[in-house]
Amino acid sequence: MTNSTRVASAEELESVFQQELSTNRWAAAESAYALAVRHREAGDWDKSREWVHQCLRLLEGFPSDTEEQVATTRVSVGGVALPNYLHEGVVRDRFGENL
């Protein structure tokens, strides 16, 4: 998705996620976070939870010792604002401990 400010549908975001999964796992984690937010906003709690888990699984593969290591590379994905830093603590803070 070249225009990061355009509001994309969940289906478009899922397509982007699938492409990123094989080429850029960090971007895929950012997209999974965006999908979790998008589904939560739509009231689809089960789908949101699935994407939160996908995001957390992807984040497990990255170091998180410094701010530089967890800094997001984009401001938004498909119209969903990303946090400045993406790591397990941020995700759990935004979506709750009991995922």
Side-chain angles (χ1 to χ4, degrees):
M1 173 142 304
T2 57
N3 183 352
S4 62
T5 59
R6 185 178 79 78
V7 176
S9 69
E11 292 78 18
E12 289 174 306
L13 282 175
E14 287 184 33
S15 176
V16 168
F17 169 82
Q18 290 301 326
Q19 292 171 4
E20 291 169 342
L21 195 55
S22 63
T23 60
N24 185 338
R25 292 179 61 80
W26 182 259
E30 291 177 345
S31 292
Y33 177 89
L35 278 156
V37 170
R38 178 63 45 83
H39 284 292
R40 180 181 64 188
E41 289 174 348
D44 190 342
W45 307 112
D46 290 336
K47 274 284 205 193
S48 177
R49 197 171 303 112
E50 287 176 28
W51 284 106
V52 167
H53 288 290
Q54 179 69 266
C55 180
L56 290 172
R57 278 191 297 274
L58 287 166
L59 290 174
E60 285 176 0
F62 292 98
S64 59
D65 300 323
T66 67
E67 287 183 352
E68 292 82 20
Q69 292 172 325
V70 297
T72 51
T73 59
R74 301 176 278 186
V75 174
S76 68
V77 173
V80 175
L82 294 176
N84 292 330
Y85 303 105
L86 188 58
H87 55 80
E88 180 182 0
V90 169
V91 174
R92 291 190 181 282
D93 184 55
R94 302 271 172 105
F95 290 94
E97 279 295 316
N98 301 317
L99 301 169

